[in-house]
Amino acid sequence: DIQMTQSPSSMSVSLGDTVTITCRASQDVGIYVNWFQQKPGKSPRRMIYRATNLADGVPSRFSGSRSGSDYSLTISSLESEDVADYHCLQYDEYPPTFGAGTKLELK
Amino acid sequence: EVQLQESGPGLVKPSQSLSLTCSVTGYSITSNYWGWIRKFPGNKMEWMGYISYSGSTSYNPSLKSRISITRDTSKNQFFLQLNSVTTEDTATYYCAKEGGAYWGQGVMVTVPS
């Protein structure tokens, strides 16, 4: 299976920060990476699809990028509603595999 | 609007089968792919498998001998069966549409020791 190594596992953040979360794929997965946000007691919400595309209704402060096998989710000017868990997912090769997750916490 | 909703027991005894239903409204399951994903305590997520628009299935090899995904197109529902459960199958189970644009609210399933 393709491994998605996600970092950091947790991050202490302040409102207004720019936050970057990264997943490194163990082999080429092309553009087939999605990013999900999940809040306690809620189902995951797709934020980014195909590495760089903003999902419907997602604020423009979220962005996705790719550099080789590294995929990043960036949140510019963090707002309180962005404090959540985030997971990447590769679906280029079956089985699709998730990163281990990043937990954002307010300082 | 596409909506998915899981249903099923929240407690399953060890060695028994876990059976869940995903009811879909706003979109026909005879289009696209429909999957099951679970989230373990501690945050790890695992893609379990999918059923396609044609009824074909694909399963995570880690589960292949224990999992079955089926559907009832007349009710626009698809189903998960996981056999011989252990405490390691304790998780929140989600159904989702291909690509993860739509998810159910999740059902927490506990397998007690």
Side-chain angles (χ1 to χ4, degrees):
Chain A
D1 297 359
I2 293 176
Q3 304 303 313
M4 297 296 285
T5 302
Q6 186 169 346
S7 61
S9 57
S10 64
M11 184 182 289
S12 186
V13 299
S14 299
L15 301 182
D17 282 352
T18 294
V19 173
T20 298
I21 300 165
T22 299
C23 279
R24 175 166 291 176
S26 61
Q27 62 191 74
D28 181 34
V29 296
I31 62 170
Y32 298 105
V33 171
N34 291 353
W35 287 94
F36 296 91
Q37 176 194 70
Q38 189 169 23
K39 298 180 180 180
K42 301 293 187 180
S43 52
R45 176 190 181 190
R46 189 176 70 171
M47 309 301 281
I48 300 289
Y49 66 97
R50 293 184 191 167
T52 61
N53 296 276
L54 202 63
D56 290 347
V58 174
S60 59
R61 63 182 178 273
F62 288 85
S63 63
S65 62
R66 175 193 177 189
S67 176
S69 61
D70 289 342
Y71 298 81
S72 296
L73 172 73
T74 297
I75 311 170
S76 302
S77 192
L78 186 94
E79 298 190 7
S80 57
E81 65 184 29
D82 304 332
V83 175
D85 293 337
Y86 292 86
H87 287 264
C88 62
L89 167 72
Q90 73 77 23
Y91 57 105
D92 179 62
E93 181 176 294
Y94 279 87
T97 46
F98 290 88
T102 296
K103 185 178 185 67
L104 299 186
E105 298 173 306
L106 282 177
K107 288 180 182 173
Chain B
E1 182 187 3
V2 182
Q3 293 187 328
L4 296 84
Q5 182 164 345
E6 305 89 349
S7 57
L11 188 69
V12 181
K13 293 180 180 178
S15 79
Q16 293 189 346
S17 294
L18 179 163
S19 295
L20 299 176
T21 298
C22 183
S23 300
V24 180
T25 57
Y27 207 99
S28 173
I29 64 169
T30 58
S31 296
N32 287 107
Y33 294 75
W34 304 86
W36 289 96
I37 300 101
R38 61 183 178 175
K39 187 170 186 179
F40 298 98
N43 225 24
K44 177 186 173 183
M45 296 185 73
E46 180 182 60
W47 177 85
M48 301 180 72
Y50 73 70
I51 188 163
S52 78
Y53 54 89
S54 67
S56 64
T57 54
S58 178
Y59 302 133
N60 193 317
S62 68
L63 300 168
K64 195 167 187 178
S65 61
R66 298 196 292 136
I67 189 174
S68 176
I69 299 176
T70 57
R71 66 179 184 171
D72 183 338
T73 57
S74 69
K75 295 181 179 179
N76 217 40
Q77 295 175 327
F78 62 104
F79 311 100
L80 170 70
Q81 181 170 319
L82 186 66
N83 299 322
S84 304
V85 300
T86 72
T87 57
E88 296 189 353
D89 295 308
T90 293
T92 299
Y93 288 76
Y94 297 95
C95 57
K97 185 178 172 289
E98 174 193 23
Y102 301 97
W103 294 67
Q105 84 283 359
V107 57
M108 186 179 298
V109 177
T110 300
V111 182
S113 55

